Amino acid sequence: MKEELTKLLAKQLESEVTENEIAKLIEIPPDEKLGDYALPCFALAKKLRKSPANIAEDIAKSILNESLIEKVQAVSGYLNIFIDRKWLSSKVLHLALDSHFGAGNFKETTVVEYCSPNTNKPLHLGHLRNMTIGESISRLLAYLGNKVYKTCVYNDRGVHICKSMLAYRDFGGGINPEEKNIKPDHFVGDFYVLFAQKAKEDDSYEKRAQELLQKWESGDTETVTLWKKMNEWAFAGFHDTFRLFGTSFDREYYESNIYKHGREVILKGLEQGLFKKLPDGAIVVDLTNKGLDEKVLLRSNGTSVYIVQDIYLAHLKAKDFSYDRSIYVVGNEQEYHFKVLKEILEILDTKVSGGIHHLSYGMVELPEGKMKSREGTVVDADDLIIDTSLLAEEEIRRRYQLTEEEVKERALKIALAAIKYQLLKTETGKNMVFNPKEAIRFEGDTGPYVLYSYARASSILRKADISISIEQWSANEHEARLLKKIYQFPDIVKLSSERLTPSTLANYTLELCQIFNEFYHECPVLRSEIAGQRLALVAAFRNVSGKCLELLGIDKIEEM
RNA sequence: GCGCCUGUAGCUCAGGGGAUAGAGCAACGGACUUCUAAUCCGUUGGUCGUACGUUCGAUUCGUACCAGGCGCGCCA
């Protein structure tokens, strides 16, 4: 955004200060009355052996006649710069009407793993935050020119899976989800809940789940058939939710396929002297020199612990994709796990470990506190989407006359925008409170606000009977504010992807829309003498806000 | 006990070595014969957890403390 300015200022300071240093210093003043950009000269004082005030004054004099400068003021050590309104209008419109505005050319191969559910429980609010982040970061990286593969690993085996199987076998009576008219993953989840109830009444029930696991591991036909059947129900349900929510995966991995293979990697490592064997036969890796603990990899009975399958999966992904980066979107409670994983991979193969990155996101809590399955306070993903959608339907019916089909389709998009935006706007790494009542609010700092702004812009363009004009004009304060905000978009995309925080983009998107709505109220477009230019500005806004929505994984609507 | 993270308005959250700390919600008051009022404008609301330190300058960086969250399995 400030390249031209940086170059210009660097030229004034000759070889004494680099462009990079200048770029870091340039800022946007707290009040736009002070200027569009500012250079605080305090840090330069020592180097140039001049007072900040003098530096500012000297630069001010020397750049006064540049074409992009409207005026400059040296104010108590700050160099305040006002950009020429004509230059601004022409510059920004040329850039922002391009459909590749802000796109990049990085060409790295990145694998993004996210969602990764257990097949014994339906998806919940936590998964939704995970999925919005995973989807958005994938889109951001792809927009910057990277090749992105989205992956998901299903935790489809283990004693917890056997629990729902056991309850179904004993109490399911051979019924299936269609007969009961329940979404299949919920159907499976209900038996997991039933298991917990039965286990409370009967102490031996836990043990029987363990026995079932042994049967499964030994390949018992009946058990494996039941396992397959229930997992297929779970997968069918998950895929419905993925479709509803608007996400998908390029490759799906199954824990049941990979959990055994890690052993070989560990044993090979032992041969190479990378790990050590304890007297009882357990194989461990010593990470104490990395400030971590000693970690068991293979138990004394020869079986592998959980992290071993992550070790194997990392190798598998490296083989499948030859990635430069491998991002794991997983909650912050697993930070230690991923630190350990990365260190172990570092010991085994730096090609695999090099690109490993844990994108840690914060937990989702409710206003009453944490979600607890025991207390039934878990917010189910499908229920949330459906409930929000119904509320959106009411709002639509109250305002517009549409067919039932149109109402439903639009309501779903608005509901998803509301949920996704709410989940994305809090800084990605931080815990957040999700208030379902606020998520279904359609005013203020919300997804629907952003959709509405976009639809407004679309509406103007639809109704215009003139064409846009990119001829420069002297933008007024509202137009200039919008132009400057649009101008920031490429920087925001870059920042958001560097920090792996879609929240950065989400917050920018809202600010952009706020400025557009101010402009909308203050500056009539079609009735204006510069209708062509304002229409171009609206088109630029529509392009950029639409891009923001796409990158956030939110479907646009042309009419609200 | 050790490690990581968080603490900003009544609530949910932005921001961030610099110029008077922002938004949304809530409360109150305004603006629809108008390109969509799911919008906009205004008022009220803050010792940026506390104390030291670094700095020309700290809410932002460092240390300590206080408060909250999470982690530290031969669980997954």
Side-chain angles (χ1 to χ4, degrees):
Chain A
M1 116 185 112
K2 44 199 185 188
E3 288 156 34
E4 288 88 356
L5 196 57
T6 305
K7 273 187 196 134
L8 180 60
L9 293 175
K11 214 168 75 188
Q12 305 312 313
L13 295 164
E14 297 286 333
S15 51
E16 291 171 280
V17 185
T18 67
E19 259 183 54
N20 254 338
E21 287 172 281
I22 299 282
K24 262 187 216 163
L25 285 174
I26 292 180
E27 60 186 26
I28 295 173
D31 185 335
E32 66 184 11
K33 286 190 196 101
L34 292 167
D36 299 315
Y37 298 100
L39 181 75
C41 299
F42 310 97
L44 302 172
K46 216 178 262 178
K47 202 165 204 173
L48 302 178
R49 298 178 187 201
K50 278 200 282 191
S51 74
N54 282 336
I55 298 171
E57 277 161 28
D58 289 353
I59 303 176
K61 271 179 224 155
S62 65
I63 62 170
L64 202 54
N65 294 320
E66 295 289 336
S67 68
L68 73 158
I69 303 291
E70 164 87 33
K71 64 174 174 178
V72 272
Q73 290 172 343
V75 184
S76 53
Y78 289 92
L79 176 71
N80 289 338
I81 297 154
F82 295 78
I83 300 293
D84 181 79
R85 294 320 196 214
K86 281 186 183 158
W87 184 89
L88 185 69
S89 66
S90 128
K91 178 80 189 172
V92 175
L93 290 185
H94 273 98
L95 289 171
L97 287 169
D98 184 332
S99 64
H100 293 289
F101 184 43
N105 194 23
F106 282 87
K107 296 207 165 86
E108 278 194 349
T109 298
T110 304
V111 179
V112 181
E113 177 188 300
Y114 62 100
C115 191
S116 300
N118 289 339
T119 52
N120 61 343
K121 281 186 222 163
L123 303 171
H124 57 71
L125 186 50
H127 291 108
L128 292 186
R129 187 173 193 199
N130 183 308
M131 281 153 63
T132 48
I133 293 167
E135 182 65 36
S136 176
I137 213 67
S138 300
R139 291 182 185 209
L140 270 164
L141 292 171
Y143 192 62
L144 286 173
N146 300 295
K147 179 70 202 155
V148 178
Y149 296 98
K150 300 187 288 179
T151 70
C152 175
V153 52
Y154 293 103
N155 297 113
D156 64 342
R157 50 137 256 129
V159 71
H160 52 294
I161 307 299
C162 291
K163 289 176 179 178
S164 39
M165 285 160 60
L166 190 63
Y168 177 76
R169 196 189 67 188
D170 292 351
F171 307 99
I175 198 171
N176 65 41
E178 295 85 58
E179 284 162 9
K180 236 189 146 189
N181 199 21
I182 295 183
K183 195 164 170 287
D185 52 333
H186 290 232
F187 180 84
V188 173
D190 289 346
F191 283 102
Y192 186 70
V193 173
L194 184 63
F195 171 89
Q197 284 168 14
K198 296 293 174 186
K200 242 188 234 167
E201 298 160 14
D202 180 356
D203 293 344
S204 70
Y205 221 50
E206 287 279 350
K207 222 174 99 191
R208 286 170 61 196
Q210 287 292 345
E211 285 162 12
L212 195 61
L213 179 63
Q214 278 168 20
K215 271 184 150 180
W216 180 85
E217 287 187 347
S218 66
D220 175 65
T221 318
E222 202 184 319
T223 309
V224 170
T225 306
L226 175 63
W227 169 79
K228 269 193 189 147
K229 184 159 83 173
M230 291 189 76
N231 269 348
E232 263 155 35
W233 287 334
F235 295 140
F238 291 161
H239 284 122
D240 277 349
T241 307
F242 295 158
R243 212 172 305 124
L244 189 64
F245 200 62
T247 200
S248 60
F249 299 99
D250 301 303
R251 179 76 61 95
E252 293 171 309
Y253 293 102
Y254 302 87
E255 188 186 325
S256 55
N257 287 340
I258 60 174
Y259 82 106
K260 279 183 175 163
H261 294 85
R263 268 178 59 90
E264 294 117 59
V265 182
I266 303 303
L267 292 172
K268 205 172 135 204
L270 181 68
E271 269 173 43
Q272 294 170 326
L274 304 173
F275 308 132
K276 66 178 182 187
K277 199 167 193 168
L278 297 182
D280 68 357
I283 293 167
V284 300
V285 56
D286 182 10
L287 299 171
T288 49
N289 61 342
K290 304 283 181 186
L292 304 169
D293 294 325
E294 197 170 71
K295 172 77 187 162
V296 172
L297 299 171
L298 297 186
R299 302 184 185 96
S300 43
N301 67 8
T303 57
S304 57
V305 301
Y306 181 80
I307 200 165
V308 172
Q309 62 176 288
D310 264 346
I311 294 170
Y312 175 72
L313 184 55
H315 283 80
L316 188 58
K317 282 187 195 163
K319 202 178 107 222
D320 287 350
F321 302 108
S322 310
Y323 58 70
D324 299 298
R325 277 217 285 180
S326 176
I327 294 170
Y328 296 77
V329 183
V330 179
N332 59 12
E333 74 273 10
Q334 297 217 40
E335 272 166 19
Y336 184 78
H337 171 82
F338 279 100
K339 249 184 225 167
V340 171
L341 177 66
K342 175 136 179 149
E343 289 302 339
I344 297 172
L345 291 171
E346 191 79 25
I347 292 169
L348 282 166
D349 187 347
T350 50
K351 250 189 250 154
V352 178
S353 70
I356 295 273
H357 190 275
H358 175 204
L359 199 178
S360 164
Y361 67 90
M363 298 192 315
V364 186
E365 288 166 25
L366 300 173
E368 314 80 61
K370 272 179 239 164
M371 291 192 282
K372 288 179 184 151
S373 49
R374 262 183 296 140
E375 292 165 29
T377 55
V378 175
V379 177
D380 179 79
D382 300 302
D383 293 348
L384 180 69
I385 295 169
I386 291 163
D387 292 349
T388 312
S389 205
L390 288 174
L391 283 155
E393 282 182 26
E394 280 176 34
E395 298 286 326
I396 294 168
R397 290 208 182 89
R398 195 188 313 158
R399 293 180 172 90
Y400 317 106
Q401 288 287 323
L402 296 170
T403 66
E404 262 312 282
E405 203 181 325
E406 285 171 322
V407 169
K408 287 217 150 55
E409 193 192 328
R410 201 178 288 185
L412 178 62
K413 287 191 175 176
I414 291 170
L416 287 175
I419 294 167
K420 289 179 182 183
Y421 183 81
Q422 167 109 339
L423 290 169
L424 284 172
K425 71 176 181 179
T426 301
E427 190 175 317
T428 308
K430 281 190 192 173
N431 290 0
M432 61 170 289
V433 174
F434 184 97
N435 188 337
K437 283 186 192 126
E438 267 178 44
I440 56 179
R441 220 185 57 218
F442 301 116
E443 286 152 19
D445 182 5
T446 63
Y449 177 91
V450 177
L451 279 187
Y452 183 75
S453 312
Y454 174 86
R456 256 187 165 171
S458 293
S459 172
I460 296 174
L461 288 159
R462 221 170 24 240
K463 289 190 177 157
D465 50 10
I466 55 160
S467 48
I468 65 169
S469 159
I470 51 168
E471 199 181 315
Q472 65 174 28
W473 82 101
S474 187
N476 70 22
E477 60 169 317
H478 300 287
E479 295 159 341
R481 217 175 279 154
L482 185 53
L483 285 164
K484 283 190 280 178
K485 199 69 191 176
I486 289 172
Y487 206 5
Q488 283 183 348
F489 176 69
D491 284 343
I492 296 294
V493 171
K494 235 181 275 168
L495 189 63
S496 200
S497 75
E498 274 166 16
R499 307 205 301 194
L500 299 178
T501 52
S503 53
T504 305
L505 179 63
N507 284 299
Y508 165 81
T509 306
L510 181 85
E511 289 164 16
L512 176 68
C513 290
Q514 282 175 327
I515 291 170
F516 172 73
N517 280 317
E518 277 169 45
F519 160 81
Y520 178 91
H521 277 269
E522 297 298 328
C523 308
V525 176
L526 302 178
R527 284 172 281 125
S528 148
E529 282 176 15
I530 50 164
Q533 282 100 325
R534 282 190 175 164
L535 200 59
L537 181 53
V538 171
F541 164 78
R542 180 173 173 275
N543 185 34
V544 174
S545 61
K547 211 50 110 180
C548 288
L549 285 165
E550 277 169 34
L551 294 175
L552 294 171
I554 296 174
D555 275 354
K556 295 170 286 198
I557 51 179
E558 300 300 322
E559 278 180 81
M560 198 69 175

